[in-house]
């Protein structure tokens, strides 16, 4: 559920201009907003990274109690001086005319050669609201993990994706050791840790 405004919280857009347009877009905004002590702020200038809205899915086999994780090179991780490969869940940008569920199913097929047998919503979050407008709507997806795994991805998007099925306990151990640092994957695995019995009962 999106954040609910408190009484008096109001923001006004004064101006928006595109500061950079390349593979991604950065826009420059001028805002004014209400102050908690009363009155209004002065003009505030902020650059916002406008990447689009995303959807993600954590593939889960409730019978085998296995999840499927993916691994691929990430430029942002490299620039942050972290190892540029880390375990993630399937995700992609929502294109015009698609729903988040559409994207979850499409990306599961493209990135991991998986068919979603059912989807259950986990959460919808802003990934870095201080600097980016990107949201991510996440699902847990029921799969049959028999035979899951391999190397997939779209050549046209320079994707080289390692796909691995593993027991949930193994994925949880990776999380506990800090070997998963992708925010959406961390949230998805933590959600499943809290709701795993519920999902296994639902999908048995």
């Amino acid at each position: 559920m999106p954040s609910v405004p408190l009484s008096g919280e109001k923001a006004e857009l004064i101006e928006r201009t595109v500061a950079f347009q390349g593979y991604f877009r950065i826009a420059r905004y001028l805002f004014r907003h209400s102050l908690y002590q009363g009155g209004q702020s002065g003009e505030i200038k902020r650059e916002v990274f406008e990447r689009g809205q995303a959807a993600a899915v954590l593939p889960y086999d409730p019978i085998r109690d296995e999840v499927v994780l993916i691994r691929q090179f990430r430029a942002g991780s490299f620039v942050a001086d972290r190892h540029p490969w880390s375990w993630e869940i399937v995700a992609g940008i929502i294109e015009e005319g698609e729903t988040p569920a559409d994207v979850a199913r499409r990306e599961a097929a493209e990135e991991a050669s998986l068919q979603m047998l059912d989807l259950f919503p986990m959460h919808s979050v802003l990934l870095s609201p201080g600097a980016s407008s990107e949201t991510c709507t996440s699902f847990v997806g029921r799969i049959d993990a028999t035979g899951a795994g391999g190397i997939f991805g779209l050549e046209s998007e320079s994707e080289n994706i390692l796909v691995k099925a593993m027991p949930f306990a193994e994925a949880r151990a990776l999380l506990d050791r800090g070997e998963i640092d992708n925010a959406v994957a961390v949230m998805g695995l933590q959600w499943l840790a809290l709701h795993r019995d519920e999902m296994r009962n639902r999908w048995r």
Side-chain angles (χ1 to χ4, degrees):
M1 181 179 178
S3 180
V4 177
L6 299 180
S7 176
E9 291 181 329
K10 294 180 180 177
E12 174 194 354
L13 173 63
I14 301 168
E15 183 181 69
R16 175 188 180 273
T17 57
V18 175
F20 173 80
Q21 179 68 64
Y23 186 73
F24 296 119
R25 180 172 65 240
I26 296 175
R28 183 173 292 116
Y29 287 84
L30 281 177
F31 299 104
R32 271 193 296 261
H33 66 75
S34 56
L35 299 173
Y36 287 117
Q37 65 270 35
Q40 201 171 46
S41 71
E43 291 186 1
I44 299 170
K45 182 171 71 174
R46 293 288 185 270
E47 285 76 39
V48 177
F49 177 38
E50 298 182 339
R51 185 171 186 263
Q53 312 312 312
V57 59
L58 172 58
Y60 178 57
D61 184 329
I63 307 302
R64 299 166 67 97
D65 196 24
E66 291 184 351
V67 295
V68 173
L69 300 181
I70 65 173
R71 195 171 173 90
Q72 59 187 314
F73 174 82
R74 291 304 198 187
S77 299
F78 183 91
V79 173
D81 202 26
R82 290 177 175 249
H83 184 63
W85 283 268
S86 69
W87 293 112
E88 304 178 355
I89 66 176
V90 169
I93 296 297
I94 301 171
E95 304 292 347
E96 188 175 349
E98 287 186 312
T99 67
D102 292 336
V103 176
R105 295 180 187 278
R106 171 172 60 77
E107 291 289 340
E110 291 177 2
E111 293 189 344
S113 191
L114 292 173
Q115 177 188 2
M116 294 292 106
L117 303 175
D118 196 7
L119 291 173
F120 188 86
M122 291 193 290
H123 40 237
S124 180
V125 297
L126 283 154
L127 297 179
S128 185
S132 174
S133 60
E134 183 182 9
T135 64
C136 186
T137 300
S138 297
F139 303 88
V140 59
R142 178 170 166 246
I143 60 163
D144 177 357
T146 306
I151 300 170
F152 301 98
L154 297 179
E155 219 173 286
S156 61
E157 296 183 10
S158 301
E159 292 179 333
N160 181 244
I161 301 172
L162 176 67
V163 177
K164 183 177 180 182
M166 63 182 74
F168 176 76
E170 182 180 336
R172 179 68 186 270
L174 287 171
L175 185 63
D176 290 343
R177 292 197 301 269
E179 293 184 39
I180 300 175
D181 59 3
N182 174 278
V184 175
V186 169
M187 289 185 289
L189 288 167
Q190 288 179 335
W191 186 95
L192 187 57
L194 292 172
H195 299 275
R196 187 158 136 259
D197 290 342
E198 173 191 340
M199 300 315 299
R200 296 190 82 184
N201 288 334
R202 183 185 185 91
W203 286 338
R204 65 184 172 189

